Amino acid sequence: MRLIQFNSGLCILLKDARQSSSTHKKSSSNSSNEFLVPYLTFRQQYSQRKVPSTRAVEHRRDKSDSGRVNIRDDDEGHLIYVPGDILHHQYEIRRTLGEGTFGKVVEVRDLRGDVTKHVALKIIKNVDKYREAARLEINVLKSIKEKDPEGVNLCVTLLDSFDYHGHMCIAFDMLGLSVFDFLKDNNYIPYPIDQVRHISYQLCLAVKFLHEIALTHTDLKPENILFLNSDYNIVYNHRKRRDERVVRRTDIKVIDFGSATFDWEHHSTIVSTRHYRAPEVILELGWSQPCDVWSIGCILFELYLGFTLFQTHDNKEHLAMMERIIGPIPYRMAKQSKKTKYFYHGRLDWDERSSAGRYVRDNCKQLRRYMVTDELDHQQLFELIEKMLEYDPKRRITLTEALEHPFFERILPEQRITNGTSSKSS
């Protein structure tokens, strides 16, 4: 048998012309009929099935704006594309920048604007839940742009958004690597203390702005903090005898507002990526802007040391790590928590002699013991982190207070952002 592909997209099976002549000895004219019979039988069977017409199929798989390929999705809902494809009669795809559960980010050329300027285009999967999340993110980005049209407050600026055959697309300025990806590519060598200071200063400013317009980001992590430009110099570390990358400029933007929530909107029970999740979220006590402050405290630690503070995927183990690093969970929070199975008489029910208990004991220590030196600015950093990792969200430092902390007194004048204006860092 042979498989034949027709332009309509239908496949039919035809008998091989080389079948044994002893079994099927026919004249040349009959041989032609032999090819037609199975085809006609197949067409007859096919016409009786309730399937979309060719016209309907072609309409669903419409031509792209470039006129070269059909609009198709893969099994996961990602748009199938190749470099050179043109979306929305405007954006020419150059290359893929990254991929996530939500979809893909591609570098495109804006054919209606400055053609030399390249833009990052977030192409959301053609899946209902991701499409709806993208619409919510676009609404948040529009609100941010309305409040801060110049992008002074260091949140990524929405350039354009549109629906492309079921794929929500969001356009942004091209940025550099995330602070996490730069860290990973640099073999997790931590950032110098002055760079930690500038990055965290900008992060506090950006999220403070969000809090002032009644937003909680809810998913702050190093992956969602991008350098404007991640070019770097190679510096040889004589003490450790190795080359190290040092980013040239530490200007950043905060991205990914897909989970951002206004004060008046429904608050999901669980928010934030595990390692940056505040205790009130784990204990299901309700959350608001202070949960972002907890996440920032975890991020500052990671920038300073190059590894995650709470490296776990289990709630009770996470709470045990918190107790090991910053002290006992307040009795009142334990008693109010819906997670009663985690506690016994108001204390965390945790066996330090178990394998998990030994892991926490061996891999976690009091927060101040992580300092690499006792120099003043290192002490100030850890004092700030301690205030951000306060269990009680009502007592946790606000970002307005954090920006007044002595750790930020050494921010360079050209790096400061005051009264809605900023200067570029040197």
Side-chain angles (χ1 to χ4, degrees), residues 384-396:
L384 177 58
I385 293 173
E386 283 176 341
K387 291 178 180 295
M388 291 179 166
L389 299 184
E390 162 63 47
Y391 280 117
D392 187 344
K394 294 179 180 178
R395 297 177 56 192
R396 198 172 298 153

Side-chain angles (χ1 to χ4, degrees), residues 93-356:
I93 295 178
R94 309 298 292 175
R95 62 189 176 107
T96 301
L97 297 173
E99 179 177 337
T101 55
F102 61 87
K104 296 183 180 181
V105 179
V106 297
E107 179 183 340
V108 299
R109 192 163 59 106
D110 186 353
L111 301 179
R112 292 184 184 175
D114 181 357
V115 293
T116 63
K117 178 182 178 181
H118 288 196
V119 172
L121 190 68
K122 188 175 179 179
I123 305 175
I124 306 300
K125 285 181 182 177
N126 190 0
V127 177
D128 287 344
K129 65 177 181 178
Y130 295 120
R131 189 161 46 243
E132 182 58 29
R135 289 194 180 99
L136 295 174
E137 180 176 12
I138 290 167
N139 288 336
V140 170
L141 288 165
K142 286 179 177 178
S143 296
I144 292 172
K145 189 171 184 178
E146 180 183 347
K147 300 289 185 180
D148 182 21
E150 301 300 322
V152 172
N153 289 287
L154 310 180
C155 296
V156 69
T157 302
L158 174 70
L159 299 179
D160 191 13
S161 63
F162 54 91
D163 186 333
Y164 185 75
H165 299 274
H167 297 270
M168 298 303 298
C169 298
I170 311 174
F172 305 100
D173 285 321
M174 281 284 292
L175 299 171
L177 292 174
S178 72
V179 297
F180 172 77
D181 285 329
F182 189 92
L183 186 70
K184 181 179 68 173
D185 292 348
N186 201 22
N187 298 312
Y188 297 96
I189 297 169
Y191 292 92
I193 188 71
D194 287 336
Q195 293 194 340
V196 173
R197 191 191 329 275
H198 187 220
I199 294 169
S200 54
Y201 169 75
Q202 296 173 91
L203 178 58
C204 288
L205 276 169
V207 182
K208 171 179 170 286
F209 162 72
L210 297 178
H211 292 180
E212 289 172 345
I213 62 171
L215 265 174
T216 306
H217 188 286
T218 79
D219 196 20
L220 294 170
K221 54 185 176 181
E223 291 91 331
N224 287 339
I225 306 165
L226 268 57
F227 288 118
L228 268 61
N229 186 321
S230 49
D231 290 345
Y232 58 87
N233 296 322
I234 298 291
V235 176
Y236 183 73
N237 187 324
H238 291 277
R239 185 170 61 87
K240 296 187 177 180
R241 297 180 181 179
R242 65 186 182 190
D243 286 334
E244 298 179 357
R245 298 179 181 182
V246 179
V247 67
R248 292 174 186 168
R249 301 174 66 92
T250 45
D251 306 271
I252 60 143
K253 291 274 188 178
V254 174
I255 68 161
D256 196 350
F257 295 88
S259 303
T261 306
F262 284 103
D263 289 351
W264 55 85
E265 292 181 317
H266 170 72
H267 284 38
S268 302
T269 303
I270 300 297
V271 292
S272 304
T273 298
R274 156 66 67 188
H275 311 308
Y276 312 93
R277 188 173 295 159
E280 65 267 25
V281 178
I282 298 173
L283 298 176
E284 297 186 11
L285 294 171
W287 54 267
S288 58
Q289 280 85 6
C291 78
D292 281 346
V293 180
W294 177 281
S295 300
I296 293 173
C298 297
I299 292 168
L300 266 57
F301 178 95
E302 193 166 338
L303 297 176
Y304 175 79
L305 282 161
F307 58 85
T308 309
L309 178 57
F310 300 110
Q311 187 62 51
T312 181
H313 295 281
D314 177 80
N315 276 343
K316 191 187 286 189
E317 185 175 76
H318 197 165
L319 295 171
M321 287 181 167
M322 290 179 184
E323 290 207 328
R324 178 80 174 168
I325 293 169
I326 58 179
I329 296 168
Y331 178 81
R332 181 185 57 79
M333 292 181 68
K335 294 299 287 183
Q336 291 178 347
S337 174
K338 296 178 182 178
K339 296 294 184 178
T340 55
K341 63 180 180 179
Y342 297 156
F343 300 94
Y344 182 73
H345 293 312
R347 302 291 297 175
L348 185 65
D349 186 14
W350 181 251
D351 184 3
E352 293 187 351
R353 295 168 295 181
S354 65
S355 59

